Amino acid sequence: MIDLKNIIEKFWKFVDKIGKPNFVLVVLILFFIAVTGLYQTFSLYTSSGGESVVDGVKTYQFILNNDSSENSVTVPANSSKKYHITVFNPENISLKYGVYYSSSSDLSSVTFGYLSYSAYPASGVIPSKGKYEISLRIDNNSDSDIPVKIGVSYGLEDGGDLVLNTNSHWLLEARDLLSDMVAGSYVKYTGNNGCLGDACKGQNANYSSNTNMGYCSDANYKYNANGWRIAYIKEGTVYLISAGSPECMCTASNGTAGKSCGNSETTAGIPKHLENLNAKALTYCNSTYAYGRKCDSNSAWNMGDADFKAITGDTLETAYAQSNNYYDNYSLINNGGWYWFATSYNSSISVFDWYPDLRKVSYDTSQYANGLRPVLRLASSVLITGGSGTYKDPYTISNERSIG
């Protein structure tokens, strides 16, 4: 039995020892900490049914011993958020569990999933006293904040399928976002906006074999790779570029695009040649993956000054002025063959291009059929479904609006 009198006597001895002023100060400090903690976590509790919030707003603990295991989060517009979930089974038997999500808002532009590197999946069987840690990602590609409820349903291991309420969805595995990968990685992609044949997959013009991967203008300077690569990543989206050159293009003085032009456009600033380059690049767009899910000038164009700068840090003007080669180790730039940049040289009748024998930026007039290198801005929601990102094993991709 508790000796209350003894506890009270020890309490007053403690107060006398530290002094009453100090005791009051300690009480105030503890009160302040308690109030601050409640203020920070109050809005994160949805009930008292075994739920708790750990580590601010990032880690949620779900205890499988009550009928209400949900927490609400708000994912800001045009953002990607990661959360950590701990599922704990305090019972003496194994339990079947499944993490789910729901929202009163439109989820057509929101992607949900648990990350593949999670210690445990978002559904399965958890043993007695087991504690599973799951990493979750929500990508909100809409222009509005989205409120989301995250919950855990559970039942007996042999008790049949778990049941979800209407408008709730099981959380399935989320592949890594393509935008989480590194520049230079290879991606399995096929254009379908007017390009022809294997060129849509990034096969080079005049391709013959894996030992002769094609060329433009001069057979002595052959491209050294096919396919598509991540050129750079900006504002959460991938900018894909052809590894080589899927076709060769020139522009004649009458403004017609072709593969053999006896003369060149002479208009100052060569607008028709730049227009032709970008129009050809647009044929390699695929609206399934395109930025804004639309094939237009915001999602596809021929490689230009802004792209060169994003890859190397230099403008084409700066690169041209270099007396020595500074881009030999940039495989995204030095791909073995000739190709155009969709940027005019000094607003004259010439266009910047890549000069492979000197391995540097130069310029030319439009009658030469140099290579075309499409740049494709992809949607931020593009996911990796397989592959390792190498030349022989490129990433495979998907752009499902939601998972689960």
Side-chain angles (χ1 to χ4, degrees):
M1 187 172 180
I2 299 174
D3 189 348
L4 184 61
K5 182 179 179 180
N6 185 46
I7 292 175
I8 293 173
E9 286 179 355
K10 288 183 177 180
F11 171 76
W12 285 116
K13 285 181 180 179
F14 171 76
V15 172
D16 289 337
K17 185 176 181 179
I18 67 172
K20 290 183 179 180
N22 290 335
F23 175 77
V24 172
L25 179 61
V26 170
V27 171
L28 288 174
I29 291 173
L30 291 174
F31 177 78
F32 176 79
I33 291 173
V35 170
T36 303
L38 286 172
Y39 177 78
Q40 290 176 339
T41 62
F42 174 80
S43 63
L44 300 175
Y45 283 83
T46 58
S47 75
S48 59
E51 299 164 16
S52 63
V53 179
V54 184
D55 189 22
V57 298
K58 292 185 178 179
T59 302
Y60 299 86
Q61 179 168 284
F62 296 94
I63 301 175
L64 306 184
N65 63 359
N66 64 88
D67 294 327
S68 178
S69 289
E70 285 187 346
N71 257 307
S72 295
V73 298
T74 298
V75 186
N78 297 302
S79 70
S80 177
K81 293 293 183 183
K82 293 181 181 179
Y83 302 94
H84 301 293
I85 295 173
T86 298
V87 178
F88 175 57
N89 175 16
E91 306 300 329
N92 293 319
I93 58 173
S94 296
L95 293 175
K96 183 183 298 183
Y97 74 96
V99 182
Y100 65 87
Y101 64 89
S102 64
S103 178
S104 58
S105 300
D106 178 16
L107 298 180
S108 61
S109 297
V110 184
T111 302
F112 300 82
Y114 74 91
L115 300 177
S116 56
Y117 57 74
S118 295
Y120 297 96
S123 63
V125 175
I126 182 170
S128 171
K129 313 303 181 185
K131 182 179 286 187
Y132 283 0
E133 294 182 356
I134 301 164
S135 295
L136 161 68
R137 184 177 63 221
I138 305 177
D139 301 300
N140 181 5
N141 303 309
S142 72
D143 295 327
S144 303
D145 295 351
I146 299 292
V148 178
K149 285 185 177 180
I150 303 169
V152 178
S153 178
Y154 66 96
L156 297 176
E157 182 178 359
D158 299 321
D161 294 336
L162 298 176
V163 178
L164 278 181
N165 294 328
T166 306
N167 298 324
S168 294
H169 309 272
W170 293 119
L171 192 70
L172 303 179
E173 181 178 353
R175 277 64 174 184
D176 294 316
L177 283 171
L178 188 61
S179 57
D180 289 337
M181 301 302 104
V182 297
S185 301
Y186 287 86
V187 179
K188 188 175 182 179
Y189 169 94
T190 303
N192 62 4
N193 196 43
C195 57
L196 299 175
D198 287 339
C200 300
K201 300 177 182 178
Q203 187 179 92
N204 295 327
N206 297 312
Y207 175 87
S208 175
S209 66
N210 286 334
T211 57
N212 182 356
M213 293 192 178
Y215 60 91
C216 285
S217 297
D218 191 334
N220 292 314
Y221 299 100
K222 296 181 175 65
Y223 300 108
N224 49 38
N226 287 299
W228 301 92
R229 302 180 74 181
I230 298 177
Y232 56 95
I233 300 165
K234 184 178 178 182
E235 297 175 349
T237 64
V238 165
Y239 291 72
L240 212 60
I241 192 171
S242 62
S245 176
E247 63 181 279
C248 315
M249 201 204 80
C250 59
T251 298
S253 58
N254 63 359
T256 302
K259 296 182 179 179
S260 177
C261 303
N263 48 37
S264 61
E265 181 184 1
T266 56
T267 309
I270 51 157
K272 281 302 299 182
H273 188 46
L274 300 183
E275 181 182 325
N276 290 340
L277 287 170
N278 289 326
K280 284 284 187 180
L282 186 58
T283 66
Y284 291 87
C285 177
N286 185 326
S287 59
T288 299
Y289 308 106
Y291 180 73
R293 288 186 176 265
K294 186 186 302 183
C295 289
D296 57 19
S297 59
N298 293 314
S299 58
W301 55 88
N302 191 63
M303 185 178 183
D305 187 62
D307 307 300
F308 185 84
K309 186 175 181 179
I311 295 170
T312 68
D314 291 333
T315 65
L316 291 169
E317 287 277 4
T318 300
Y320 171 67
Q322 303 284 4
S323 57
N324 297 310
N325 164 48
Y326 288 94
Y327 308 102
D328 200 25
N329 293 324
Y330 284 90
S331 62
L332 284 166
I333 299 299
N334 180 30
N335 66 356
W338 295 80
Y339 61 86
W340 292 113
F341 296 103
T343 304
S344 61
Y345 166 64
N346 200 26
S347 299
S348 69
I349 60 172
S350 298
V351 186
F352 281 115
D353 65 0
W354 179 252
Y355 199 169
D357 53 353
L358 297 179
R359 297 187 299 284
K360 65 171 292 182
V361 171
S362 187
Y363 65 90
D364 235 327
T365 50
S366 69
Q367 79 266 25
Y368 296 101
N370 291 332
L372 181 84
R373 295 195 71 187
V375 175
L376 309 163
R377 185 180 182 185
L378 305 187
S380 60
S381 53
V382 173
L383 303 169
I384 294 173
T385 58
S388 59
T390 63
Y391 179 67
K392 292 184 177 180
D393 184 32
Y395 291 129
T396 56
I397 57 176
S398 173
N399 194 20
E400 301 170 2
R401 286 192 177 275
S402 62
I403 301 176

